[in-house]
Amino acid sequence: MKNSYLVAGYIALFFVSFFMASCLNDDNKIPPNCYDGLLNNNEENIDCGGPCPLCDPCTNGIWNPELGETWVDCGGECGECDPCNNGCQDGDEVGVDCGGSCGTACGELCGDGLPNGLEDGADPNCIAPNPDLADCGGPYCEPCPTCDDMTLNGDEIGIDCGGPDCDPCPTDGNCLNLLLDGDEDYIDCGGTICPPCLDTLSYKINGQLKDAKINLSVSLSGGTMTISGTTLANEQINMIIPEPQVGWLPGVTVQFNPTTAPDQVMSYISADAIAYGTVNGNANINMDILAVDAVAGGIIVANFSGNLVSTDEQAVSVQNGFFLLNIP
């Protein structure tokens, strides 16, 4: 009798296990935060990619020419492009996808990661736009990086030297050669030989230079960098930058926008107390980390540009942003 009870128990356990396994399917194996409307959990886009279902390439906000798209999320199998978002200059547009009846000013496209507007990478005939020259050149965006512009930009590690395109930088430890060499923390400052690097944070709003000299600060907590500063005219800029997925490394580009990077936040408050930020509308800021040692006593150096938007959809252009800050 006892053995028959054991056999019956094993049979019951088998059927319960079979029933539970049959209840598992592709839906309830997916983590619950794949349906929370937030970009998290190592997702590629909101609630898709990574551990979540694959992202639809026609709605991922990325230009995928290798999949047949002629522009972002359109063309090929993704359907016809909107005339104001097709990578061409057509109709009454004054640049690629800007001006005229499209309503978007060409300068607002600086920082969106696409070769459009009047940028050097834009092609009005939409035959061969150059993504490497997106967001630079033309009358509104910052000049495109070159190896002879006396500016540290692009992939350079010193002014006009280093990286994949420019000549190698000499490394003689000279503190007056406008190069990042020796054991300097940044160009001609820091390390064992050169004078300390001095904190600075400057940027342009609609072409006007702003220098945040007051209450300039940086803090590092749990991998997140918080930066703030105020100008003499009481204009404020604030940044919250979580640690990038690849870590705090030179050469990393950090994006600020409300769609794919909601955790990175940049805000600017004008002298007349109007707040602009990266959580509104089509705001977009790209920040290039030039040098970083994300520890107490370290340093972070970066440049940034793009546009910020107010809650009533008014945009300001941010250009020539730069900061060098010693981390306390």
Side-chain angles (χ1 to χ4, degrees), residues 30-275:
I30 296 172
N33 54 357
C34 291
Y35 300 97
D36 59 8
L38 301 174
L39 181 67
N40 51 24
N41 199 34
N42 292 319
E43 297 165 351
E44 295 176 15
N45 208 337
I46 294 176
D47 293 343
C48 69
C52 300
L54 292 175
C55 295
D56 181 355
C58 295
T59 60
N60 62 2
I62 300 173
W63 179 25
N64 298 300
E66 70 278 4
L67 300 179
E69 292 182 354
T70 56
W71 202 241
V72 178
D73 295 342
C74 65
E77 296 182 359
C78 294
E80 187 176 355
C81 294
D82 185 298
C84 292
N85 184 39
N86 62 1
C88 306
Q89 182 178 342
D90 41 26
D92 61 350
E93 296 174 356
V94 298
V96 172
D97 295 338
C98 63
S101 56
C102 287
T104 300
C106 293
E108 293 179 17
L109 299 180
C110 299
D112 67 356
L114 296 171
N116 50 16
L118 295 170
E119 300 160 7
D120 285 0
D123 181 357
N125 299 314
C126 51
I127 296 174
N130 187 350
D132 292 335
L133 297 178
D135 299 333
C136 66
Y140 301 109
C141 304
E142 296 181 19
C144 292
T146 68
C147 296
D148 56 5
D149 56 10
M150 291 301 295
T151 302
L152 181 69
N153 48 27
D155 296 316
E156 298 168 356
I157 63 171
I159 292 178
D160 295 339
C161 67
D165 301 318
C166 303
D167 292 334
C169 297
T171 55
D172 59 4
N174 188 325
C175 298
L176 299 173
N177 61 0
L178 300 180
L179 300 175
L180 177 61
D181 56 10
D183 66 347
E184 297 169 353
D185 293 331
Y186 194 58
I187 297 172
D188 294 342
C189 68
T192 56
I193 299 175
C194 301
C197 298
L198 300 179
D199 289 347
T200 183
L201 170 56
S202 62
Y203 53 98
K204 288 183 178 180
I205 296 291
N206 291 339
Q208 295 187 343
L209 181 63
K210 312 294 180 181
D211 191 356
K213 296 181 177 180
I214 303 174
N215 298 326
L216 183 56
S217 68
V218 57
S219 64
L220 181 65
S221 176
T224 295
M225 200 88 66
T226 302
I227 297 170
S228 62
T230 305
T231 70
L232 292 174
N234 203 34
E235 298 156 298
Q236 301 175 36
I237 190 166
N238 302 282
M239 310 173 202
I240 300 175
I241 319 169
E243 182 175 2
Q245 286 190 351
V246 297
W248 286 108
L249 297 172
V252 170
T253 297
V254 179
Q255 282 196 324
F256 299 75
N257 63 64
T259 303
T260 61
D263 294 333
Q264 281 86 251
V265 178
M266 182 180 295
S267 64
Y268 163 74
I269 302 177
S270 66
D272 49 0
I274 299 176

